[in-house]
């Protein structure tokens, strides 16, 4: 067995994974050749792997999370040959590749769903999805009260082949994303074959989309929702369509299959569930390897809250022997620079207009936040563009918004397009090298991004990009960061001061210390400064909204 095949290596335990949203990464609509040509850049960051959001054929009703063919590449991105070339090139650059596995639902344009509509009630074709007769005298009411994550009912009524209004099908997300029936062995065997298809091509792992949605409680009983029909998966326990225990059988089957492959293939779960203990169930030794940590993503800039999440995560993961992971942003969340730059930006961005973002404050906190995240034990996920300090684009005209969240909420929620605006590479005006000069990107880039491009920050001391590179380099080099330990240091803030955001202060290994100042007061630093998020003035103090890595070894 070669070194890369030894299970003990378990690269995913401390990997930093860079998320690529292919439509917005490079070149026109983000095609795979563009992505391949930018791999050198990705490798230069010092990350270990990339996760590619869906690249499959899709009507793009939900940004590609509506797949019509699981064994091919969307023509706007390229071909299967391009994907193979990309995989080879990524591996040559020392990067592992994780692809998206969207198994809760297909596209309504998937041949299976088209056949199911044609075949009619009671057919084996309908068995692959979740079709039911409606309630009410004429079946005019949905089969139960389940809601969709994107708003409104989770059910849509179909027209039968004879032209009459007929059965209803379940969609946890948009109507263009019918839920597959994971009680069906046909569905299970098909996904095993899909997993093999990509494992055989050399992918290093899968990101499991909407994992808690895959199993439903038998009989599909009505749900009891506490707040008026709000989709609140992070708060749900005993909900009949979320985090139902049968999911774990599916995950075990996948793990068994992946373990038959060499090369330490891995799964990361997207599972927004009620707290770290429930999340840890997805990571038992015979299930998935890691999971995104949404409690961390959703934390405020507040030391007490973050410390609770960090402690809770580490304790829960330790019990199942899984590593923790951390993330600040992804393609579904308001970019963290914007969140950190406004008191109420989580809630407020749901409505339009909302309070202005303080970009300077958001940038300062984002610089501190990356030093905090990369100093924690376990793995981390970065989202393309955060290393450039990109903010959420909050003023996209409504006419360009594509997210079904915007449309299904009839404009009440702006949706997720603002974090998906194409990357700025070079130049002083859109499209900033993303696509040929003069072309319009699918979401317009701000005129003000000229100083945020890769070219503008590359090699510039003090830029966000160089801070990320320096932190990732040190994270790899420092033996102290290799373990799973973390010891808190009591706060150095004088107790008499009114606590605002607090201080996070911890040690790793024998001599590493990380101090993050979220309070309004400077705090003293002791030890040799390895890296800091702001330029320090020599006074031995760390100013507010800043972080430092220290070497305390004698
Ligand atoms: C999670 C994905 O990240 C998101 O973009 C998508 O809308 C839903 N799952 C449905 O697939």
């Amino acid at each position: 067995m070669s070194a890369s095949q030894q299970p003990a290596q378990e690269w995913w335990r401390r990997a930093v994974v860079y998320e690529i949203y292919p439509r917005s990464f490079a070149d026109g609509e983000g095609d795979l050749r563009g992505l391949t040509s930018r791999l050198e850049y990705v490798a230069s960051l010092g990350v270990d792997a990339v996760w590619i959001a869906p690249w499959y054929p899709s009507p793009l009703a939900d940004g590609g999370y509506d797949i019509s063919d699981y064994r091919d590449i969307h023509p706007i991105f390229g071909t299967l040959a391009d994907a193979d070339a990309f995989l080879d090139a990524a591996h040559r650059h020392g990067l592992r590749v994780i692809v998206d596995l969207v198994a809760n639902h297909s596209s309504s344009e998937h041949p299976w769903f088209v056949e199911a509509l044609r075949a009619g009630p009671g057919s084996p074709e309908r068995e692959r999805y979740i079709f039911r007769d409606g309630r009410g005298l004429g079946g005019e009411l949905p089969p139960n009260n389940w809601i969709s994550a994107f708003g409104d009912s989770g059910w849509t009524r179909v027209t039968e082949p004879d032209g009459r209004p007929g059965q209803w099908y379940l969609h946890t997300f948009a109507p263009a994303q019918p839920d597959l029936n994971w009680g069906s062995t046909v569905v299970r065997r098909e996904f095993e074959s899909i997993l093999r298809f990509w494992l055989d091509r050399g992918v290093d792992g899968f990101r499991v989309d909407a994992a808690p949605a895959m199993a439903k409680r038998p009989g599909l009983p009505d749900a009891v929702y506490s707040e008026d029909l709000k989709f609140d998966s992070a708060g749900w326990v005993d909900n009949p369509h979320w985090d139902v225990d049968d999911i774990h059988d599916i995950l075990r089957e996948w793990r068994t299959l992946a373990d038959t492959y060499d090369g330490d293939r891995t799964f990361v779960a997207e599972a927004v569930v009620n707290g770290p203990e429930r999340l840890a169930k997805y990571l038992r030794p015979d299930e998935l390897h890691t999971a995104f940590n949404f409690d961390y993503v959703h934390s405020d800039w507040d030391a007490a809250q973050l410390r609770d999440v960090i402690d809770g995560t580490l304790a829960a993961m330790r019990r199942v022997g899984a590593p923790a992971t951390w993330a600040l942003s992804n393609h579904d969340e308001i970019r963290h620079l914007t969140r950190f730059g406004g008191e109420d930006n989580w809630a407020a961005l749901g409505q339009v207009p909302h309070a202005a973002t303080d970009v300077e404050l958001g940038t300062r906190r984002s610089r501190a936040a990356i030093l905090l995240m990369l100093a924690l034990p376990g793995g981390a996920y970065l989202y393309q563009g955060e290393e450039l300090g990109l903010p959420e684009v909050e003023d996209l005209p409504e006419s360009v918004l594509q997210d079904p969240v915007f449309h299904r909420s009839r404009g009440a929620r702006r949706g997720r397009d603002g974090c998906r605006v194409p990357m700025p590479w070079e130049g002083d005006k859109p499209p900033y090298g993303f696509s040929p000069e003069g072309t319009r990107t699918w979401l317009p880039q701000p005129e003000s991004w000229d100083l945020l491009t890769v070219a503008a920050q590359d090699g510039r001391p003090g830029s966000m990009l160089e801070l990320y590179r320096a932190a990732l380099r040190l994270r790899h080099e420092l033996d102290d960061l290799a373990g799973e330990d973390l010891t808190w240091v009591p706060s150095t803030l004088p107790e008499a001061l009114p606590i605002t955001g607090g201080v996070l202060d911890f040690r790793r290994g024998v001599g590493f210390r990380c101090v993050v100042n979220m309070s309004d007061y400077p705090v003293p630093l002791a030890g040799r400064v390895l890296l800091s998020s702001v330029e320090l003035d020599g006074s031995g103090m760390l100013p507010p909204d800043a972080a430092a890595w220290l070497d305390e070894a004698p």
Side-chain angles (χ1 to χ4, degrees):
M1 196 183 262
S2 77
S4 67
Q5 292 171 327
Q6 279 164 16
Q9 188 194 5
E10 300 193 328
W11 64 274
W12 40 270
R13 284 193 172 270
R14 23 184 340 256
V16 178
V17 184
Y18 182 82
E19 180 192 354
I20 290 176
Y21 195 73
R23 208 175 172 197
S24 300
F25 192 64
D27 218 1
E29 292 242 302
D31 71 44
L32 286 183
R33 289 184 192 191
L35 170 46
T36 306
S37 74
R38 298 286 186 184
L39 275 173
E40 202 169 325
Y41 166 74
V42 178
S44 82
L45 298 173
V47 298
D48 305 286
V50 292
W51 147 36
I52 314 287
W55 57 6
Y56 316 100
S58 159
L60 301 179
D62 181 22
Y65 282 91
D66 48 318
I67 299 172
S68 50
D69 181 352
Y70 287 83
R71 295 182 183 80
D72 206 346
I73 294 293
H74 198 301
I76 65 170
F77 298 149
T79 62
L80 264 182
D82 293 335
D84 289 340
F86 163 76
L87 279 168
D88 277 356
H91 288 151
R92 271 200 311 278
H93 279 95
L95 296 165
R96 314 237 183 191
V97 178
I98 293 174
V99 294
D100 229 296
L101 180 65
V102 186
N104 174 66
H105 45 269
S106 73
S107 159
S108 53
E109 292 185 21
H110 189 286
W112 273 12
F113 194 73
V114 176
E115 286 162 17
L117 289 184
R118 215 182 281 136
S123 61
E125 287 82 355
R126 286 215 174 167
E127 233 345 80
R128 300 164 181 159
Y129 292 90
I130 303 180
F131 279 89
R132 292 289 183 279
D133 293 333
R135 292 194 281 201
L137 282 180
E140 71 283 5
L141 299 172
N144 65 27
N145 71 344
W146 294 1
I147 53 175
S148 146
F150 293 160
D152 283 350
S153 169
W155 295 90
T156 291
R157 195 171 195 188
V158 303
T159 303
E160 298 300 353
D162 63 8
R164 276 188 288 196
Q167 288 195 298
W168 298 71
Y169 68 90
L170 180 68
H171 49 86
T172 301
F173 298 92
Q177 295 164 294
D179 280 36
L180 287 153
N181 171 16
W182 275 90
S184 149
T185 40
V186 178
V187 171
R188 288 191 183 219
R189 295 297 87 82
E190 173 68 357
F191 272 86
E192 281 174 18
S193 149
I194 291 165
L195 283 171
R196 286 187 190 286
F197 179 86
W198 290 104
L199 288 167
D200 288 341
R201 295 195 107 80
V203 304
D204 299 283
F206 299 93
R207 173 244 186 216
V208 181
D209 185 66
M214 287 195 295
K216 278 80 182 175
R217 191 171 314 150
L220 313 188
D222 272 350
V224 179
Y225 299 117
S226 51
E227 276 177 63
D228 45 351
L229 297 188
K230 188 166 154 266
F231 203 91
D232 175 26
S233 59
W236 285 340
V237 176
D238 289 337
N239 177 288
H241 58 86
W242 198 262
D243 199 17
V244 172
D245 276 345
D246 289 351
I247 289 158
H248 300 286
D249 295 338
I250 306 167
L251 305 183
R252 284 190 196 99
E253 284 176 13
W254 290 355
R255 177 63 181 261
T256 307
L257 188 155
D259 281 351
T260 63
Y261 282 77
D262 64 7
D264 214 1
R265 316 292 175 108
T266 189
F267 290 102
V268 51
E270 188 221 18
V272 183
V273 291
N274 195 326
E277 297 296 338
R278 294 200 70 84
L279 186 62
K281 288 185 158 202
Y282 290 74
L283 306 179
R284 288 173 288 197
D286 58 347
E287 298 193 38
L288 306 185
H289 302 77
T290 56
F292 298 131
N293 188 343
F294 284 96
D295 289 342
Y296 191 79
V297 177
H298 295 156
S299 293
D300 295 327
W301 187 247
D302 178 82
Q305 200 187 113
L306 279 162
R307 184 171 163 163
D308 272 359
V309 171
I310 293 167
D311 284 341
T313 303
L314 292 175
M317 296 303 136
R318 203 169 291 133
R319 276 196 275 282
V320 288
T325 72
W326 319 98
L328 294 162
S329 281
N330 66 36
H331 69 277
D332 290 329
E333 308 287 349
I334 294 161
R335 281 195 180 269
H336 61 267
L337 188 139
T338 297
R339 271 163 29 217
F340 292 152
E343 285 307 315
D344 264 339
N345 272 357
W346 269 122
L349 279 180
Q351 298 117 39
V352 201
H354 65 90
T357 302
D358 181 339
V359 172
E360 205 181 308
L361 179 68
T363 304
R364 199 176 157 83
R365 289 180 172 172
S366 298
R367 294 175 64 90
I370 190 63
L371 293 200
L372 167 61
M373 182 168 93
L374 292 180
L376 295 171
Y381 282 82
L382 309 179
Y383 174 49
Q384 69 182 43
E386 69 169 79
E387 77 281 15
L388 303 176
L390 296 189
E392 181 86 2
V393 181
E394 300 169 63
D395 57 357
L396 289 171
E398 291 193 354
S399 58
V400 304
L401 297 182
Q402 298 204 1
D403 189 351
V405 169
F406 174 74
H407 296 287
R408 273 181 80 77
S409 70
R410 286 171 281 279
R413 289 155 68 199
R414 269 189 80 81
R416 301 159 294 177
D417 293 301
C419 68
R420 300 174 178 177
V421 172
M423 283 274 284
W425 291 95
E426 65 225 359
D428 55 9
K429 56 179 190 316
Y432 301 111
F434 170 80
S435 49
E437 220 176 303
T439 50
R440 281 181 23 182
T441 49
W442 71 283
L443 291 170
Q445 299 158 306
E447 298 285 339
S448 57
W449 276 8
D450 53 330
L451 294 179
L452 296 178
T453 64
V454 171
Q457 300 193 45
D458 191 25
R460 183 162 63 79
S463 68
M464 184 74 88
L465 176 58
E466 292 305 334
L467 177 71
Y468 269 67
R469 284 180 172 151
L472 285 160
R473 196 179 317 120
L474 269 176
R475 186 184 145 97
H476 273 284
E477 282 169 14
L478 294 173
D479 288 342
D480 277 347
L481 294 183
E484 302 204 336
D485 63 296
L486 178 150
T487 312
W488 295 107
V489 180
S491 171
T492 46
L493 271 185
E495 274 182 25
L497 291 177
I499 298 299
T500 41
V503 175
L504 287 177
D505 190 346
F506 56 90
R507 295 202 167 93
R508 303 275 318 273
V510 288
F512 178 89
R513 184 160 168 188
C514 174
V515 185
V516 190
N517 187 1
M518 300 177 172
S519 79
D520 293 339
Y521 306 93
V523 293
L525 288 177
R528 187 170 68 89
V529 177
L530 297 167
L531 187 62
S532 58
S533 66
V534 291
E535 213 170 313
L536 298 174
D537 62 6
S539 65
M541 302 297 278
L542 181 68
D545 295 314
W549 288 2
L550 307 167
D551 178 10
E552 291 187 323

